[in-house]
């Protein structure tokens, strides 16, 4: 089994329900992907492998980011619904 390099992208201080938070997450993801998927050399094969690494990493990161954004929006919606419920 080939072990792939990984990176942890912190999201705990981002409001992923907002466009600004999503932009910041995207910036962090791109920075992490570029760090992890650096070419091992300047030859064409190394450059192609790095490009494939970035494609694969972006696909995996997109799934995780979309899930985190969806969960953040649901939490915000639940919180808003709780705050506007009339008291009995």
């Amino acid at each position: 089994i080939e072990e792939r390099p990984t990176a942890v992208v912190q999201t705990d201080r981002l409001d992923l329900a907002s466009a600004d938070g999503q932009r910041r997450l995207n910036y962090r993801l791109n920075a992490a992907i570029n760090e992890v998927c650096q070419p091992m050399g300047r030859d064409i094969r190394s450059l192609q492998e790095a490009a494939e690494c970035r494609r694969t990493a972006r696909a995996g990161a997109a799934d995780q980011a979309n899930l985190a954004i969806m969960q953040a929006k649901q939490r915000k919606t639940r919180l808003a619904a709780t705050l506007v419920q009339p008291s009995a």
Side-chain angles (χ1 to χ4, degrees), residues 25 29 56-71:
L25 174 60
L29 288 173
T56 302
R58 279 194 184 96
D63 291 342
Q64 294 177 47
N66 289 335
L67 178 61
I69 290 166
M70 181 182 68
Q71 290 171 337

Side-chain angles (χ1 to χ4, degrees), residues 4-74:
R4 294 184 182 181
T6 60
V8 175
V9 175
Q10 297 297 324
T11 62
D12 53 332
R13 292 190 173 192
L14 296 178
D15 176 6
L16 296 180
S18 74
D20 184 58
Q22 292 169 29
R23 270 192 301 278
R24 289 172 186 254
L25 174 60
N26 192 46
Y27 176 83
R28 291 179 185 184
L29 288 173
N30 283 328
I33 289 167
N34 289 331
E35 180 71 26
V36 169
C37 295
Q38 292 183 9
M40 296 298 182
R42 310 259 316 132
D43 59 285
I44 190 72
R45 182 179 174 109
S46 294
L47 296 174
Q48 288 173 334
E49 287 174 354
E52 180 59 29
C53 175
R54 287 190 298 273
R55 277 191 292 276
T56 302
R58 279 194 184 96
D63 291 342
Q64 294 177 47
N66 289 335
L67 178 61
I69 290 166
M70 181 182 68
Q71 290 171 337
K73 287 180 177 181
Q74 288 174 343

